[in-house]
Amino acid sequence: QRHIDQAVVNAIVLKDGKANWDIVKDTTTSAEVPEEETSESDLLIRLKKLEINRSNISYLDYQSDIQAYMKDLNFSLSGDMTTSQTDLDMALNVSDLTFIMEGMKYLNKTVLDSKISLLANLDSMKFTFRDNYLSLNDMRLNFTGIVAMPGDDIETDVEFNTPQTSFKTLLSLVPAFYMNDYQDLSATGEFALNGFAKGVYSATDSTLPDIGLNLSVANGLISYPQLPEKIKDINLKTAVFVDGKDMDKTTVEIPQFHFELAGNPFDMVFALKTPMSDPDFKGSMKGQIDLAALSRAVPMDSITLSGIIDMSVEMAGKMSMIEKEKYEDFMAMGNMKVNDMRVAMTGYPEVTISQAAFAFTPAYSTLTNTNIKVGKKSDFALSGKLGNYIPYIFSDGTLAGNLSLRSNLIDVSEIMSGMATDTTVVEDTTALSLIRVPENIDFTFDALIEKFSYDSIKASKVGGKMIIREGVLSIRDAGMNILEGVIKMNADYDTRDSLKPVMNADLDMKGVDIKSAFNTFNTVQKLAPAAKGIAGKINANLKYTSLLGQDMMPVTNSMNGGGKLQSDEVTLLESKTFDKMKDVLKLGNKYSNTFKNINISFKIADGRVYVDPFDIKTGNLKMNISGDQGLDQTINYVVKTEIPRADLGGSVNSLINSLSSQAASIGVAYQPSEVIKVNLKVTGTFKDPQVAPFFGSTSGESSGGLKQTAKETVKETVKQSVGNAVDDGKEKARAEAEAQGAKIVQEAEEKAAQIRNEAAKAADDIRKEAEEQSQKVIDAAASKGPIAKVAAQKSADQINKTADNKANQLVQEADVQANKLVEEAKAKSQAMIDKI
């Protein structure tokens, strides 16, 4: 006898099929086993009783996407297993059973109780069931028959049925009923279930026993004492037959499903045959559902419903008719209408559908006269057509269609304010991840929104087209009136190569207020922080291409493109850079901060913005500006100025003396004229700009090109951080520290690149392995017909999805590790420099 008490068992099967209980190492081969050891074993099982009490068992199968949890499990097995034939008695009770497959919860905290009595012939492995039952909640299933396992195959001849029982026992298995005032539920009517499993299960031949299942409900009624309405006259008949040797002979029939609610009848029928070779099905749904009456018949926590759904839909035909576009042979007709529908849920904005109409044909379905209101302000008018929907659902067809949206106002802030908020501070683990655009969807969506509001964004005439085709999402002719101007955009989002998703964008702005743009968009605050202190309106266009990270955000160091920026007039309300320039040039407050006729061309390469030389003027002060800036906010500009000597007044001598002494320090004889020309080097960052005059050529003018300019920017920024005025000894020590620090940073960046590359390769391997595994699943099901292929496709999609999430996590973790490595190197480098 053996007793197990309060055991905790966690059984796990990984994606590759490896199980955590498979811990015995196979150390032998057929060549190593002595002949005498291959004889029949003399092992005797002397166990006569086994008990497991108050134990918890969980089973997690990541390969099949199955989860099972059994809490408070009690099991007993008794019988004399030392004899060739014995009586075996088993009892199983689970207080809390939950079963989940592919995300769907089939059993939720269900009570399981079973007693099995059988005659076991252990020599022939034949088991004869006597009085046996299995109960799930209130539903009891009796079964009798024979199961034999003489070899690898399993022979079955089992029948099962429910005793005469009430309709309420069936409802006890439905979590919605079981969890929602089930004990107060009044349900009458008769429920019957019977079936059989007869035949051979053979993994070698891929055959199953024939399975039959019949379920019926007669004169059912559901009512709650505290609610006035009843769902009555519930009648259901279902017959399922599965041919284990030829799945194409499987049939499903629902000849009757009927109920009445508030005097309105609802009927549905369905039949399916030849599911593997050419699904032949017919079905219909007819009736009217009063949602207000439904809410008065069934308890609904935190939700209020009203409105009428009226439908009449009929379909009949074979899949081959659709595939061959013989729509005239396939019957698919009907419509569904929604009137005055209202859905109010706690934690969500109220949704009202004043009307909506759907019409169905074999080739397409249409949506017309659909008017929806979300919250108190936002309205949506929708219309469109969906084609090829039947092949898309049942096979691998391409879904095609179009949808149009019209709205007078969409107030996202009001919609979001209706959402429930949780004030508990928790770690955000739901980061954005890459969304792949399906390649079997050909869809066009166009919209025109008169007014749009979200937080500080106020726009009008918002419109454009969104096209999904061949795995690419394209935005065309999108535009809006915003920030006192007009913005238009075209873009492509291409994820066909999931390892290198690409974004192409073309943005055009006219008459946009600079300061409003800064206050409205976080992107502007990041890319152009100087815009915070600028007043005026601009015209701009920008075209760029960028790789996208696994978080769907542009990879800044991969951005390449260019554009132009124009303005008739801008005013620098706040500019540390211009203030320092005026201080160096001894301009005082003589010159205005207003500039006119601005025309700037720029390029974007490797995450930096390179500005072509352009002229700008305020009063008699002329400037020619060129250089570059980074998304890390470092700046590297050359400003060539021309100042009439007469405009300087008394400050001219101070400026000349300052310039002459600086020029003399590097061996240049400075000779001022009536127009004083001064070159300024602007480095540092937007928050801490450094401005100094210089003599001779600039790094921007040298042959080093863009990369050389970028290096000079970083170098200049580091120099400015430790100060400009140092003696020769400090300068030499600093140069050595900079060189050593640069080497440390370079090594860290190389190591970071290696980490990212290895992670990308590993992620690629994970995805490829998943694709191979999913393809095997699809190929194995292809010969079994469309329905099996659809089921296999879902399993394949889940395999790919899980692998993609794992790969994304691997890349993200590597990116965090790489960034940390580089940041630590930079900090170490800076610490070395700071010591000088």
Side-chain angles (χ1 to χ4, degrees), residues 153-174:
D153 297 341
I154 302 175
E155 300 173 6
T156 62
D157 187 358
V158 176
E159 295 182 356
F160 56 88
N161 63 78
T162 59
Q164 189 69 26
T165 187
S166 71
F167 177 43
K168 188 174 181 179
T169 61
L170 176 63
L171 298 180
S172 73
L173 290 180
V174 182

Side-chain angles (χ1 to χ4, degrees), residues 777-794:
V777 172
I778 294 172
D779 292 343
S783 62
K784 298 180 181 179
I787 291 181
K789 190 174 181 180
V790 170
Q793 184 63 55
K794 289 184 178 180

Side-chain angles (χ1 to χ4, degrees), residues 196-225:
F196 65 86
K198 185 174 183 178
V200 177
Y201 169 79
S202 173
T204 305
D205 298 332
S206 298
T207 59
L208 298 170
D210 293 340
I211 298 173
L213 178 68
N214 298 286
L215 184 150
S216 65
V217 176
N219 303 315
L221 181 144
I222 298 174
S223 68
Y224 286 86

Side-chain angles (χ1 to χ4, degrees), residues 135-150:
S135 293
L136 297 172
N137 287 341
D138 292 341
M139 190 181 79
R140 175 166 169 160
L141 191 69
N142 299 326
F143 57 95
T144 61
I146 297 173
V147 174
M149 296 178 286

